[in-house]
Each structure stands twice: as structure tokens, then as C-alpha cells.
Amino acid sequence: MLRAKSRMLGLLTALRSSPWPPFKAIAPALSNCQPIEEERTPYYDPKRFYPTFLGEVLSGRYQVATKLGYGSDSTVWLARDLHHEYRFGLRWSADHYVAIKINAIDRAGKNVAKNELRNMQLLSKSNPRHEGRHFVRTLLDFFKLRSPFGEHICLVFEPLREPLWLLNRRFQGNIIPSEILKVMVQMLLHGLDYLHTECHIVHTGKQNAYYV
């Protein structure tokens, strides 16, 4: 029994992708005196953020490819899923990428990351037959990382498309045609109905860029 299990584990390991070799490209040096990206957000404290490196393999599975974004409480990274081929059983299948949100350590008295994880788990487990569920971002995976100053909750998602303020540049006059916009609004309303009726969640955040 143990021998069979060992062989199976060896086979599954063989079907997984290997990490990329270390990057040889040398990025230009940044000035220590000029804050960039999340360093310019309110209440920034470097001790709260996980020090992510390109090529780093997170949770033994996700290899960091590039940075997608940042906020006052997190950074977001595009990563290659090294277990993707194992999951589908096809050695020759194309690489699969995910977006990983690495939350900063919560400020004292705050539970932002834990609350987000709980809400995302609820979104992912509620009624899968509701037509609006397909228009709501759901959680693929989550894990935790340790840094010298605490624990970071990491959320794994499918990468999103461009925001609407960039999408409209693809159309003449930077205006999304009404027939396309109507479909987008319908999708948005279905997604909101799923949040409200199935998950009992109301989004109260203020965001100018909506994603599809």
C-alpha cells in the first residue's frame, strides 16, 4: 500500500511543471529617496508588506511572474501555477496563470484580510446554480505566508480583464457601444443579485474602475 502510494506521488510530481530558472535580467536600480507604488499610499509601513521577489515560488506551487497592482493593504501578482498540468493530467497543456493578492499584516485592531477571506469563501460556496455567480470573482485557493513581522493571508484568483476605462479605448471615440454596454450592465446586475440574495453581502466600497 505504501509502495503504491509512493509511486502515485512520484507520477503526480512528474506531471507538474518545473519552476523557471532564476531570472538573469538586471532591473534598473530604484532610488531609496523616491517612494513608488504602495510606498505612496496612506499609512504605509514596510514591515506590514511581504517582500515578494520575481521568480519566487509561493506555497510550493505559484511562481511569481510580474506585479499586477498594489493598494494600501496588499500587493497583487501574476503567478504561474506549477500544479496546473497535474490537475488536468496533460503534460503538454499550456501554462496556467493566476492572480495572487498578498495581504499586508493587518493594522492593530483591524481584521481586513481575515474578513475578506471569509467573504470570498462565502462567495465561492454559495448557490452555484444562480446565473449571477459566473459574473462574480470567486476564490481558487488561499494560503498563508510568514515574514519577520507576522502572517500574510494570500488569495488566489483567475486573472481579470482590463478595467472599463481602458476597454473603452478600443472603440471609436473612446465610447463603448450601447449594445455592448447593455450586456455589461445585465451581467453586473446578475452579479449584484447573487451577492445580495444568495450571499447576503452588500459591497460598500468606493471604486471608480469596474472590471469584467
Side-chain angles (χ1 to χ4, degrees), residues 164-175:
L164 294 185
W165 67 270
L166 282 178
L167 178 65
N168 65 8
R169 296 181 182 179
R170 298 178 179 271
F171 300 97
Q172 186 174 3
N174 294 333
I175 298 175

Side-chain angles (χ1 to χ4, degrees), residues 47-163:
K47 295 179 180 179
R48 296 181 55 237
F49 286 80
Y50 181 79
T52 311
F53 295 92
L54 296 182
E56 180 180 2
V57 178
L58 306 176
S59 191
R61 175 171 180 173
Y62 305 105
Q63 187 171 28
V64 177
T66 190
K67 191 175 185 179
L68 293 177
Y70 62 91
S72 59
D73 291 300
S74 65
T75 54
V76 182
W77 303 81
L78 185 71
R80 178 171 168 246
D81 185 355
L82 302 179
H83 290 196
H84 172 67
E85 294 177 353
Y86 146 67
R87 187 171 51 182
F88 289 91
L90 298 175
R91 177 84 183 196
W92 53 87
S93 62
D95 286 339
H96 182 251
Y97 291 85
V98 296
I100 301 180
K101 181 178 183 179
I102 304 180
N103 282 284
I105 299 171
D106 281 333
R107 292 188 289 268
K110 304 289 185 179
N111 291 304
V112 176
K114 291 180 180 179
N115 290 338
E116 182 179 12
L117 173 58
R118 182 171 61 251
N119 287 335
M120 292 309 308
Q121 289 175 321
L122 177 60
L123 291 179
S124 302
K125 294 178 180 178
S126 295
N127 185 6
R129 294 182 295 276
H130 191 285
E131 58 185 335
R133 186 180 186 276
H134 303 290
F135 307 122
V136 175
R137 182 181 63 174
T138 53
L139 194 65
L140 296 179
D141 189 15
F142 77 93
F143 56 92
K144 298 178 181 179
L145 296 173
R146 297 288 305 181
S147 70
F149 302 100
E151 185 177 78
H152 304 263
I153 294 177
C154 304
L155 309 178
V156 182
F157 304 99
E158 290 286 352
L160 296 178
R161 292 190 55 132
E162 60 197 350

Side-chain angles (χ1 to χ4, degrees), residues 8-21:
M8 181 59 69
L9 290 175
L11 176 61
L12 295 179
T13 301
L15 289 174
R16 295 175 181 175
S17 301
S18 299
W20 291 316

Side-chain angles (χ1 to χ4, degrees), residues 123 130-137 184-199 201:
L123 291 179
H130 191 285
E131 58 185 335
R133 186 180 186 276
H134 303 290
F135 307 122
V136 175
R137 182 181 63 174
M184 292 179 173
V185 171
Q186 187 178 42
M187 294 164 60
L188 178 62
L189 292 176
H190 282 314
L192 285 173
D193 185 62
Y194 174 74
L195 290 178
H196 296 166
T197 62
E198 300 294 336
C199 306
I201 292 177

